[in-house]
């Protein structure tokens, strides 16, 4: 007998968890996602747990290890409830103090509170921190309540209620109508209406259908899908179950990239628990709906984020896309009707079913509904995962949530959509985050990466970076993408290295337009976007490279020289030690010199020098 | 010994061509690379032409056909890490070890790889040393890490 | 029972068997759509993209390769709009810059209207059209060749060991290779590559005046146009 065979069993589990939670006087939430672990959260958790045991507080204080809460810059953090108190940058060595003073006596330790960068004031409550204030957190908000290893925790948040409700008598057509009415659009990039996709798959003939969760997230600079799958895997599973029921599928796959080992692990554990509880398998919750999910790992290929390539990869083959004249909703995995949505899209489904389309559509713009998680990174003060209502202006995200430029430089642009997207210049920062608005500006939402660039970023170099990326990641099947990207890179490299010719700029434009239309798959079709958008908004930087032979941002190596400012150099010798090319000489406590012949302009000395003595011209 | 382990990887997956990528990922994790003999066995057991096995091995970045070093240092070169200077880290490695990303030092101690994103973008640049993630890396920090991993204590003297 | 559908290609109403590609249909009716990687009777992969056409649907047009596009009733195809001609020329220019030492590719480039090449020539031996790979797999069933690697590293190779362990000596790969079957008068030495179009065919004519219908041109023999192969 499965543990959950009826909706009322979910209620029982929920009461049990609540009961256990009410016995604890205090809750300490420590996130432990991949990014948190990079900051040392694992050691912190061990230290806190040991300390709680030592001081005999294990009964009194509940420690919950969760997925990422979003504010990665400040990690490792501890969130203390009740009180909504957030301690930032906590190290393992601080555990004893925090446990003995905060957990035992309820004192608030000033030194761990978030310090506002403008006023310098310490902010006690998490909800008052500017980073969180302008956000509308719908999905990320749940992470604090859920230990990803515990299905009970998820059930306690009302989890699996939506599938129970659906199986208790909502028709597939009604689910599809609800998702359509909600206006949910695919969070993976193109923003295709999810309801329409489901409808086509539902209507496609065939008994054997599939649903797939795309957690390949190859976009460098975006990691919300990793975070969602790590932190709340059951929510994604529940979304997939609802989708599978709506289209008539009995089998699902979660395609996770191997570079996300923690997400793979959490997804597998979640699937195991759901099977054990009878929430996956035959006759779920006593209905005649049967469904199971498997994890398929991606081997590290950006192109496998493309739907047809992803499906061939699940089939165990080389992930090359095929022509999509027949849509995957009709002929997808093993040529069966298949619905592919990304993690964030699936995660939005349960709450739509619980709260209704109207509730979901109450946020957002006319054509982009709900919230979107963005990965705010790059040259901005507060980096992390940001969830905002669709339609929020970019300016609000960069300046209010992000806190403005990191190093006091001027922000120049924001890159959205990864290698398929483009750069949006500062003057257009009033644009709302909206699928269509970003598309019209020559970029795209993509999966929601938002990399902030300041005036020390060269846009020609950015175009070159993405072209290099795409040159490696293109599968190489079709000519426009393989050769076209190669030739675009050749031209951009010429420009960056100072031997660009004026006629190469229109050639670049023409080639980019051809690649965009004639390529086989979505990767090739969107590959020229970084070039086209930088040409559109930053043409002056290209002309400066071509006509003036200079790189305004001081990035392109062939066009700059390094020197040591005699006024500032103290002769400490750090640059000399760090230079891997032995191009710096000088005696201790005397001004050092760079040998321009040996210097590779690698920039290591600049990052090591504490006195800003190295200049770039 | 290696064959025994391959058996356990193949268990329940024989004659199922669609398990190819999964089998090879497990093999890669277990051995650190894909030995030629093992690939021939995989080809036979799953019923996939050898050429297709090799195509998969060359297509996905996760696979390596050469044994890797004891220490694998992975530098993230995703966009967020790039704008925060992951290039410098790559330069540091090239200068310090004299190898290109993807290669292993002659003594088999260190393999350096570049990866397009490990998904910890807010803390870039990121370096993954074996399985531990290191945030906000600088060339200096990386240099010390590599020295430690290589077991070398080098100190450049003032000229 | 065979099912037929009605399709409009370049304004001409034609009837095609269900399940055939737009390219095959066009060739059958003598409508010339330049192509390179297509071989009749072999699975199409849509690699060269020379055969791109516009499919007009609900007032919107979409660019797609005609070899992988299957006919559907009421389909409207345009193979020679200005936009398509320009893109096809750009693709042919990319191809000829990669491999100027193939008469087939030189001819295709001239046929597509390439007048000058704006990229440095590369003199490679393979344009990855995949004809050899597919012949080996589908006709010889030898699986001796395959695409190895991805992106710029993609190349055709055999599994490790000796090629003869797999090869069935059918010669299909050589017969269908646009590089080996029609080497041009050259080979041009490194640094001396050029767009020639000097061969005595009707190819020296202005591409704009090139007929849209098949005239059994010399070019077709050169790069094994499906029109010849199908006979």
């Amino acid at each position: 007998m499965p543990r959950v065979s009826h909706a009322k069993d979910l209620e029982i589990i929920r009461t049990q968890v609540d009961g256990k939670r009410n016995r604890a006087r205090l809750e300490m939430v420590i996130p432990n996602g991949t990014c948190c672990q990079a900051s040392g959260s694992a050691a912190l958790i061990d230290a806190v747990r040991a300390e709680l045991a030592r001081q005999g507080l294990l009964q009194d204080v509940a420690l919950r290890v969760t997925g990422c809460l979003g504010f990665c810059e400040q990690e490792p953090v501890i969130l203390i409830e009740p009180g909504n108190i957030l301690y930032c940058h906590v190290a393992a060595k601080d555990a004893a103090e925090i446990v003995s003073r905060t957990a035992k006596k309820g004192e608030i330790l000033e030194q761990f509170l978030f310090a506002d960068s403008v006023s310098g004031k310490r902010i006690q409550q998490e909800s008052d921190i500017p980073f969180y204030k302008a956000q509308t957190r719908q999905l990320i908000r749940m992470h604090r309540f859920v230990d990803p290893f515990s299905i009970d925790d998820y059930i306690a948040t009302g989890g699996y209620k939506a599938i129970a409700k659906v199986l208790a008598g909502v028709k597939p057509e009604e689910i599809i109508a609800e998702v359509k009415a909600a206006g949910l659009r695919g969070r993976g990039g193109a923003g295709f209406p999810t309801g329409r996709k489901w409808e086509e798959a539902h209507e496609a003939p065939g008994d054997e259908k599939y649903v797939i969760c795309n957690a390949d997230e190859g976009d460098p600079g975006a990691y919300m899908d990793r975070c969602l799958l790590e932190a709340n895997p059951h929510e994604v599973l529940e979304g997939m179950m609802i989708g599978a029921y709506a289209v008539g599928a009995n089998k699902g796959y979660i395609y996770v990239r191997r570079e996300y080992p923690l997400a793979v692990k959490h997804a597998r554990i979640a699937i195991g628990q759901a099977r054990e509880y009878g929430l996956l398998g035959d006759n779920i919750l006593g209905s005649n709906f049967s469904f199971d999910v498997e994890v398929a790992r991606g081997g590290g290929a950006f192109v496998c984020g493309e739907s047809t390539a992803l499906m061939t990869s699940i089939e165990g083959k080389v992930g090359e896309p095929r022509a999509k004249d027949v849509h995957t909703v009709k002929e997808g995995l093993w040529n069966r009707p298949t619905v592919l949505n990304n993690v964030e899209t699936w995660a939005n489904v349960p709450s739509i079913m619980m709260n209704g389309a109207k509730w979901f559509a109450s946020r957002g713009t006319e054509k982009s509904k709900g919230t979107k998680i963005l990965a705010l990174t790059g040259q901005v003060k507060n980096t992390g995962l940001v969830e905002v209502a669709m339609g929020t202006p970019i300016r609000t995200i960069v300046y209010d949530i992000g806190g403005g430029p990191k190093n006091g430089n001027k922000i120049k642009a924001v890159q959205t959509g990864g290698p398929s997207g483009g750069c949006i210049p500062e003057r257009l920062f009033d644009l709302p985050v909206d699928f269509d608005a970003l598309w019209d500006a020559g970029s795209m939402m993509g999966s929601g990466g938002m990399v902030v660039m300041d005036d020390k970023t060269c846009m020609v170099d950015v175009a070159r970076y993405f072209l290099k990326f795409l040159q490696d990641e293109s599968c190489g099947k079709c000519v426009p993408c393989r050769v076209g990207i190669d030739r675009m890179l050749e031209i951009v490299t010429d420009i960056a290295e100072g031997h660009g010719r004026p006629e190469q700029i229109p050639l670049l434009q023409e080639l980019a337009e051809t690649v965009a239309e004639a390529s086989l798959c979505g990767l090739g079709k969107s590959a020229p976007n970084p070039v086209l958008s930088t040409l559109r908004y930053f043409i002056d930087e290209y002309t400066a490279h071509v006509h003036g032979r200079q790189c305004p941002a001081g990035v392109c190596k062939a066009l700059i020289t390094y020197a040591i400012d005699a006024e500032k150099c103290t002769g400490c010798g750090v640059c000399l030690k760090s230079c891997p090319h032995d191009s710096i000489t000088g005696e201790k406590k005397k001004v050092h010199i760079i040998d321009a012949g040996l210097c590779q302009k690698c920039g290591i000395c600049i990052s090591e020098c504490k006195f800003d003595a190295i200049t770039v011209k | 010994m290696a064959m025994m382990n391959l058996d356990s990887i193949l268990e329940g997956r024989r004659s199922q061509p669609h398990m190819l990528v999964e089998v090879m990922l497990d093999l890669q994790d277990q051995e650190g690379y894909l030995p030629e003999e093992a690939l021939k066995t995989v080809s036979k057991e799953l019923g996939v032409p050898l050429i297709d096995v090799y195509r998969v091995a060359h297509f996905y970045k996760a696979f390596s056909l050469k044994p890797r070093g004891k220490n694998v240092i992975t530098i993230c070169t995703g966009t967020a890490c790039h704008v925060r200077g992951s290039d410098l880290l790559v330069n540091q490695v090239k200068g310090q070890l004299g190898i290109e990303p993807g290669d292993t030092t002659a003594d088999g101690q260190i393999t350096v790889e570049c990866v397009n994103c490990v998904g910890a973008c807010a803390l870039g640049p990121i370096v993954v040393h074996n399985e531990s993630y290191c945030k906000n890396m600088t060339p200096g920090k990386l240099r010390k890490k590599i020295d430690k991993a290589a077991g070398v204590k080098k100190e450049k003297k003032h000229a | 029972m065979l099912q037929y559908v009605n399709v409009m290609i370049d304004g001409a109403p034609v009837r095609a068997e269900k399940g055939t590609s737009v390219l095959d249909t066009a060739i059958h009716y003598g409508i010339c759509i330049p192509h390179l990687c297509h071989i009749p009777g072999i699975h199409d992969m849509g690699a060269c993209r020379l055969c791109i056409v516009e499919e007009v649907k609900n007032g919107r047009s979409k660019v797609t390769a005609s070899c992988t596009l299957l006919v559907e009733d009421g389909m409207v195809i345009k193979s020679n709009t200005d936009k398509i001609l320009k893109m096809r020329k750009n693709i042919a220019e990319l191809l000829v810059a990669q491999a100027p030492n193939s008469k087939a590719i030189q001819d295709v480039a001239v046929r597509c209207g390439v007048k000058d090449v704006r990229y440095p020539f590369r003199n490679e031996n393979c344009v990855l059209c995949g004809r050899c790979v597919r012949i080996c797999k589908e006709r010889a069933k030898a699986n001796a060749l395959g695409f190895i690697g991805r992106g710029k590293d993609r190349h055709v190779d055999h599994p490790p060991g000796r090629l003869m362990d797999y090869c069935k000596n059918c010669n299909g790969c050589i017969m269908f290779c646009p590089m080996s079957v029609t080497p041009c008068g050259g080979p041009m030495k490194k640094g001396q590559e050029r767009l020639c179009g000097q061969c005595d065919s009707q190819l020296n004519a202005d591409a704009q005046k090139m007929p849209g219908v098949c005239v059994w041109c010399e070019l077709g023999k050169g790069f094994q146009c499906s029109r010849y192969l199908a006979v």
Side-chain angles (χ1 to χ4, degrees):
Chain A
M1 195 61 188
R3 207 157 153 214
V4 180
S5 53
H6 195 271
K8 66 177 189 293
D9 295 338
L10 295 170
E11 247 354 273
I12 296 170
I13 293 171
R14 190 181 163 159
T15 336
Q16 283 170 352
V17 175
D18 278 351
K20 211 154 79 188
R21 281 188 187 167
N22 289 337
R23 281 199 290 280
R25 178 174 55 82
L26 195 79
E27 270 185 340
M28 290 171 95
V29 175
I30 308 183
N32 192 29
T34 302
C35 42
C36 318
Q37 289 184 5
S39 304
S41 61
L44 173 68
I45 291 162
D46 290 344
V48 169
R49 191 171 282 138
E51 206 52 49
L52 286 174
R54 201 177 63 83
Q55 303 192 23
L57 291 169
L58 282 176
Q59 295 295 318
D60 219 16
V61 178
L63 171 66
R64 183 159 57 241
V65 178
T66 68
C68 179
L69 301 184
F71 204 176
C72 306
E73 182 73 47
Q74 298 294 322
E75 279 162 355
V77 299
I78 302 181
L79 180 70
I80 295 151
E81 293 282 7
N84 195 229
I85 297 153
L86 189 73
Y87 283 176
C88 305
H89 291 306
V90 189
K93 63 174 168 45
D94 304 322
E97 189 185 3
I98 291 172
V99 170
S100 60
R101 293 181 60 189
T102 305
K104 207 164 195 171
K105 300 183 198 145
E107 291 173 40
I108 292 167
L109 302 170
E110 185 87 355
Q111 71 268 34
F112 295 120
L113 295 175
F114 176 79
D116 188 69
S117 60
V118 184
S119 60
K121 257 181 34 197
R122 298 278 178 177
I123 299 172
Q124 188 169 326
Q125 292 196 334
E126 183 210 24
S127 50
D128 290 337
I129 296 173
F131 176 78
Y132 285 118
K133 249 186 170 169
Q135 296 191 40
T136 311
R137 289 187 305 156
Q138 203 48 228
L139 294 169
I140 301 182
R141 195 181 61 89
M142 300 309 292
H143 292 179
R144 66 192 55 197
F145 303 113
V146 179
D147 176 346
F149 292 116
S150 161
I151 189 171
D152 288 355
D153 271 9
Y154 179 62
I155 293 173
T157 64
Y160 288 114
K161 253 176 138 172
I163 185 71
K165 177 180 163 184
V166 162
L167 292 178
V170 183
K171 287 200 195 88
E173 292 80 3
E174 290 168 350
I175 299 175
I176 291 168
E178 195 74 17
V179 173
K180 268 173 123 177
L184 178 64
R185 291 172 68 173
R187 261 53 175 159
F192 192 84
T194 307
R196 246 174 66 201
K197 208 185 249 184
W198 291 15
E199 186 173 51
E200 283 178 41
H202 174 75
E203 284 166 2
D207 303 332
E208 207 177 310
K209 295 181 186 178
Y210 297 96
V211 292
I212 302 176
C213 170
N214 182 354
D216 191 52
E217 197 168 51
D219 276 17
Y223 60 104
M224 62 289 297
D225 290 347
R226 169 183 70 68
C227 172
L228 286 173
L229 197 58
E230 272 176 18
N232 208 354
H234 287 287
E235 192 175 36
V236 179
L237 276 182
E238 191 182 0
M240 288 176 76
M241 290 163 77
I242 296 166
Y245 176 72
V247 303
N250 298 111
K251 176 92 193 178
Y253 287 91
I254 301 181
Y255 187 86
V256 199
R257 57 202 295 252
R258 178 187 162 275
E259 289 91 329
Y260 289 173
L262 211 59
V264 173
K265 184 172 152 196
H266 289 192
R268 283 185 170 158
I269 289 173
I271 291 170
Q273 287 176 339
R275 281 183 190 151
E276 202 182 302
Y277 273 47
L279 289 163
L280 285 177
D282 292 336
N283 302 97
I284 294 164
L285 290 164
S287 71
N288 54 11
F289 172 60
S290 302
F291 181 63
D292 198 17
V293 177
E294 245 180 76
V295 170
R297 282 171 298 167
F302 176 68
V303 67
C304 287
E306 200 273 346
S307 59
T308 57
L310 187 149
M311 289 171 200
T312 41
S313 181
I314 293 181
E315 290 167 14
K317 297 180 209 150
V318 164
E320 271 172 19
R322 59 164 174 78
K324 247 204 302 197
D325 296 312
V326 180
H327 293 296
T328 50
V329 286
K330 293 201 182 89
E331 286 178 25
L333 189 62
W334 286 297
N335 290 326
R336 311 283 182 191
T338 305
V339 165
L340 175 83
N341 283 126
N342 98 322
V343 176
E344 196 184 339
T345 317
W346 288 121
N348 269 304
V349 172
S351 57
I352 292 177
M353 293 325 294
M354 280 318 289
N355 305 325
K358 227 177 186 170
W359 165 84
F360 185 81
S362 67
R363 295 203 180 89
T365 60
E366 195 197 332
K367 285 187 175 156
S368 303
K369 299 292 187 194
T371 60
K372 177 80 191 86
I373 305 179
L374 304 165
L376 188 63
T377 59
Q379 306 295 7
V380 68
K381 269 193 198 120
N382 305 327
T383 53
L385 286 182
V386 171
E387 187 174 354
V388 292
M390 292 272 193
T392 308
I394 296 174
R395 194 176 299 284
T396 310
I397 296 165
V398 173
Y399 289 96
D400 297 348
I401 298 175
K406 188 184 165 97
N407 301 319
N409 298 329
K410 199 176 161 315
I411 288 179
K412 179 155 82 179
V414 53
Q415 207 280 343
T416 67
S420 316
C423 298
I424 294 170
E426 211 265 350
R427 63 171 199 276
L428 296 180
F429 273 13
D430 290 323
L431 273 177
V433 168
D434 168 294
F435 288 106
D436 309 297
L438 290 179
W439 183 261
D440 291 342
S443 184
M444 64 191 265
M445 180 86 82
S447 54
M450 211 169 230
V451 185
V452 179
M453 296 167 173
D454 62 18
D455 53 10
K456 292 275 181 280
T457 313
C458 167
M459 299 319 267
V460 177
D461 182 65
V462 168
R464 190 179 172 195
Y465 165 79
F466 281 117
L467 287 170
K468 258 192 201 152
F469 175 91
L470 290 160
Q471 187 196 34
D472 278 345
E473 293 296 341
S474 157
C475 74
K477 186 174 179 178
C478 76
V479 171
C481 178
R482 183 186 71 241
V483 187
I485 290 173
D486 208 20
R487 292 295 185 175
M488 283 196 277
L489 179 59
E490 189 176 75
I491 296 170
V492 173
T493 305
D494 274 354
I495 294 172
E497 288 181 351
H499 34 78
R501 299 185 306 276
E503 71 271 17
Q504 282 181 311
I505 294 179
L507 176 61
L508 185 62
Q509 177 92 25
E510 189 183 329
L511 179 56
E513 283 163 8
T514 301
V515 175
E517 288 250 30
S519 293
L520 191 152
C521 77
L523 184 147
K525 283 188 205 292
S526 58
N529 281 351
V531 170
L532 287 169
S533 74
T534 47
L535 277 173
R536 178 165 162 190
Y537 297 118
F538 299 97
I539 185 73
D540 49 330
E541 290 196 29
Y542 281 89
T543 47
H545 282 75
V546 172
H547 294 284
R549 300 275 185 251
Q550 46 179 275
C551 175
V555 173
C556 296
K557 283 181 190 169
L559 304 173
I560 51 171
T561 45
Y562 281 27
I564 292 176
D565 186 342
E567 305 260 298
K568 287 182 178 168
C569 178
T570 63
C572 69
V574 164
C575 57
L576 182 151
K577 274 188 218 154
S578 66
C579 177
H581 309 103
D582 294 326
S583 65
I584 300 178
T585 49
E587 282 175 43
K588 195 139 192 120
K589 301 211 169 134
K590 286 194 179 151
V591 174
H592 285 41
I593 298 166
I594 296 180
D595 183 333
L598 291 173
C599 175
Q600 302 286 313
K601 297 155 194 164
C602 65
I604 289 172
C605 51
I606 298 180
S607 72
E608 296 287 297
C609 179
K610 292 185 182 70
F611 308 99
D612 285 336
I614 292 151
T615 57
V616 176
K617 267 186 200 132
Chain B
M1 182 63 197
M3 268 345 223
M4 285 284 288
N5 293 337
L6 184 54
D7 268 349
S8 66
I9 291 173
L10 285 167
E11 193 59 50
R13 291 162 164 175
R14 288 193 169 84
S15 305
Q16 295 180 47
H18 73 276
M19 296 309 292
L20 181 62
V21 176
E22 286 288 315
V23 166
M24 286 169 72
L25 281 169
D26 284 344
L27 187 63
Q28 170 77 37
D29 287 347
Q30 184 187 294
E31 301 289 321
Y33 78 112
L34 301 172
E36 196 178 314
E37 278 311 305
L39 288 186
K40 283 188 177 153
T41 316
V42 167
S43 157
K44 239 182 258 148
E45 295 283 347
L46 294 182
V48 180
L50 190 59
I51 185 73
D52 289 339
V53 175
Y54 270 87
R55 290 191 62 202
V56 168
H58 280 97
F59 187 84
Y60 296 103
K61 258 199 166 158
F63 300 124
S64 151
L65 291 160
K66 285 179 286 185
R68 297 202 292 177
K70 276 189 195 132
N71 293 281
V72 180
I73 291 186
T74 310
I75 302 170
C76 177
T77 54
T79 322
C81 292
H82 175 79
V83 300
R84 285 191 177 183
S86 65
D87 266 9
L88 305 185
L89 303 178
V90 178
N91 286 330
Q92 172 68 36
V93 170
K94 284 189 195 166
Q96 192 178 356
L97 294 172
I99 59 172
E100 290 290 315
D103 289 346
T104 305
T105 50
D107 60 0
Q109 281 293 324
I110 300 177
T111 297
V112 177
E113 287 180 346
C114 287
V115 62
N116 280 330
C117 188
V118 294
C121 312
L123 305 167
I126 294 273
V127 167
V128 187
H129 177 211
N130 294 336
E131 266 152 31
S132 78
Y133 290 74
C134 317
K135 63 167 180 173
N136 297 334
M137 285 301 282
T138 61
K141 284 194 212 167
L142 184 61
R143 186 182 69 226
K144 282 173 204 143
K145 190 171 272 301
I146 291 176
D147 278 345
K148 219 170 146 193
V152 192
K153 201 88 195 110
K154 263 193 234 155
E155 196 62 39
K156 228 191 273 177
K157 290 268 161 12
H158 266 86
Chain C
M1 202 185 77
L2 289 178
Q3 277 187 312
Y4 288 91
V5 294
N6 293 306
V7 186
M8 184 82 91
I9 303 181
D10 292 345
V14 298
R15 204 170 74 117
E17 202 180 298
K18 217 174 170 183
T20 52
S21 71
V22 170
L23 179 61
D24 277 331
T25 308
I27 291 167
H28 181 78
Y29 285 98
I31 299 165
C32 181
I33 301 177
H35 54 273
L36 181 69
C37 66
H38 170 74
I39 309 173
I42 295 284
H43 190 86
D44 278 305
M45 63 188 281
C48 74
R49 315 304 285 174
L50 282 171
C51 69
I52 46 170
V53 293
E54 274 185 79
E55 183 194 353
V56 187
K57 210 174 188 176
N58 307 329
R60 281 164 60 182
S61 84
K62 189 182 96 183
V63 176
T64 182
S66 59
C67 64
T68 49
L69 181 67
L70 301 187
V71 288
E72 262 172 52
D73 204 33
M75 205 174 224
V76 177
I77 300 291
K78 289 181 178 169
S79 81
N80 57 1
T81 59
D82 288 349
K83 183 174 158 189
I84 289 289
L85 292 178
K86 186 178 171 193
M87 283 197 285
R88 197 179 282 149
K89 179 175 148 245
N90 282 341
I91 295 168
E93 186 182 349
L94 288 173
L95 275 170
V96 78
Q98 291 297 100
N101 272 328
S102 155
K103 180 176 183 306
I105 290 166
Q106 286 270 358
D107 285 355
V108 166
V110 177
R111 163 66 180 87
C112 296
V114 180
K115 288 263 164 56
D116 61 322
V117 177
R118 293 166 290 179
Y119 312 101
F121 281 102
R122 281 201 183 141
N123 215 339
E124 283 173 11
N125 291 324
C126 177
V127 288
L128 300 171
C129 65
R131 284 176 150 210
C132 54
V133 170
R134 284 172 293 147
I135 284 285
C136 185
K137 191 182 185 85
E138 293 175 34
R139 202 162 282 176
K141 308 233 180 325
N143 281 315
L145 296 174
F147 289 113
I148 299 282
R150 71 169 186 231
K152 67 177 192 312
D153 299 327
R154 184 176 167 106
H155 61 278
V156 174
D157 207 345
H158 57 84
R162 295 175 309 174
L163 174 62
M164 51 198 277
D165 292 345
Y166 311 93
C167 178
K168 294 184 177 170
N169 294 320
C170 74
N171 264 350
C173 49
I174 298 170
M175 267 158 31
F176 285 93
C177 175
M179 306 297 294
S180 61
V181 84
T182 54
C184 74
M188 289 180 252
K189 288 202 189 93
K190 203 156 176 49
Q192 295 173 7
E193 302 91 345
R194 62 190 191 281
L195 183 73
C196 75
Q198 299 301 308
C199 303
D200 47 354
S201 66
Q202 57 265 70
L203 292 178
N204 295 325
D206 190 345
Q208 296 297 327
K209 293 178 195 143
M210 206 76 76
V213 292
C214 179
V215 293
W216 297 89
C217 65
E218 285 296 312
L219 164 67
K221 279 186 197 158
F223 78 95
Q224 300 167 318
C225 169
S226 314
R227 192 83 204 265
Y228 285 84
L229 290 174
V231 169

